Amino acid sequence: MDLFPLWNSMRIAAISAVIVFFVGIFAAYYAARLPRAIKGVVDVILTLPLVLPPTVCGYFLLIVFGNRRPLGILLAQIGIKFVMTWYGGILTATVVAFPLMYRTARGAFEGFDENLAYSGRTLGLSNSYIFWRIRMPVCRQGILAGVVLAFARALGEYGATSMLVGYTPKRTATISTTVYQLWRTNDERGAMIWVLLNLAISAVVLLAVNMLEKRRR
């Protein structure tokens, strides 16, 4: 049994989860501090990938990063190519998983007691110290839940990945694209093995989220 799809899916999900963690918490932190009208517009823009069909997200990524698009041509000149490459899967997974991290982190930050931050400032603490040593520890359960959900979403991503990355054995194959490819070639036994494996991983992820929620309460 070729385990490359498992390895590829795990590394794509892990790398995208790290990217989404940093981008998501900073986007959520600054969005939560915006005026209500502006925050509403920003929130719609940042959450769009959550409600758009994944294939539509993949289509937009092709428009931006396609080999014949200006940005795609520019990136190709420095050796970066997202179309039909495994790291293109990181891009698609990051885009579709970002809203989960963003909304979860924003909810955690909005529930933070700002009096703690005010108290820290009266003691002469810097904003960066307050953010990393006070705000983040208080909000850690919500942040961790967002990371786990983003990882799970990235691991199961199919639509945008199939549009931008496609399916190439031992190069771009993921669990989701492998299931479709095996089903398309009438290998139902092979497809079922990968489906059961994905179900097992998803169950572990959901168990982790439930545990984090219980600890948060």
Side-chain angles (χ1 to χ4, degrees), residues 25 36 39 47 53 68 90 116 122-123 126 180 187:
I25 60 173
R36 179 173 298 180
K39 181 168 67 175
T47 312
R68 297 184 179 180
I90 297 175
L116 296 175
T122 60
L123 296 174
S126 65
Y180 175 76
D187 187 357

Side-chain angles (χ1 to χ4, degrees), residues 128-147:
S128 60
Y129 184 94
I130 293 172
F131 181 83
W132 290 109
R133 301 299 297 273
I134 298 177
R135 192 181 301 272
M136 286 292 289
V138 171
C139 302
R140 66 182 181 277
Q141 300 302 331
I143 299 296
L144 289 175
V147 173

Side-chain angles (χ1 to χ4, degrees), residues 65-114:
F65 297 101
N67 294 335
R68 297 184 179 180
R69 302 294 178 175
L71 183 56
I73 295 173
L74 178 63
L75 291 174
Q77 292 177 353
I78 58 176
I80 300 175
K81 182 181 178 182
F82 289 110
V83 179
M84 298 301 293
T85 59
W86 75 268
Y87 47 87
I90 297 175
L91 176 63
T92 60
T94 300
V95 169
V96 299
F98 170 80
L100 289 172
M101 181 66 205
Y102 163 72
R103 293 192 68 88
T104 306
R106 197 197 69 183
F109 287 146
E110 288 178 345
F112 176 76
D113 185 1
E114 289 295 333

Side-chain angles (χ1 to χ4, degrees), residues 1 175-176 178-201:
M1 181 179 177
I175 294 177
S176 299
T178 299
V179 169
Y180 175 76
Q181 180 66 17
L182 293 174
W183 171 81
R184 192 178 67 85
T185 56
N186 296 320
D187 187 357
E188 294 189 5
R189 180 179 178 279
M192 181 57 67
I193 292 174
W194 284 110
V195 167
L196 293 176
L197 180 60
N198 204 359
L199 283 173
I201 297 173

Side-chain angles (χ1 to χ4, degrees), residues 19-47:
I19 296 172
V20 163
F21 169 76
F22 289 103
V23 178
I25 60 173
F26 283 109
Y29 173 71
Y30 287 108
R33 300 165 66 89
L34 292 173
R36 179 173 298 180
I38 299 176
K39 181 168 67 175
V41 176
V42 172
D43 188 64
V44 168
I45 295 173
L46 296 180
T47 312

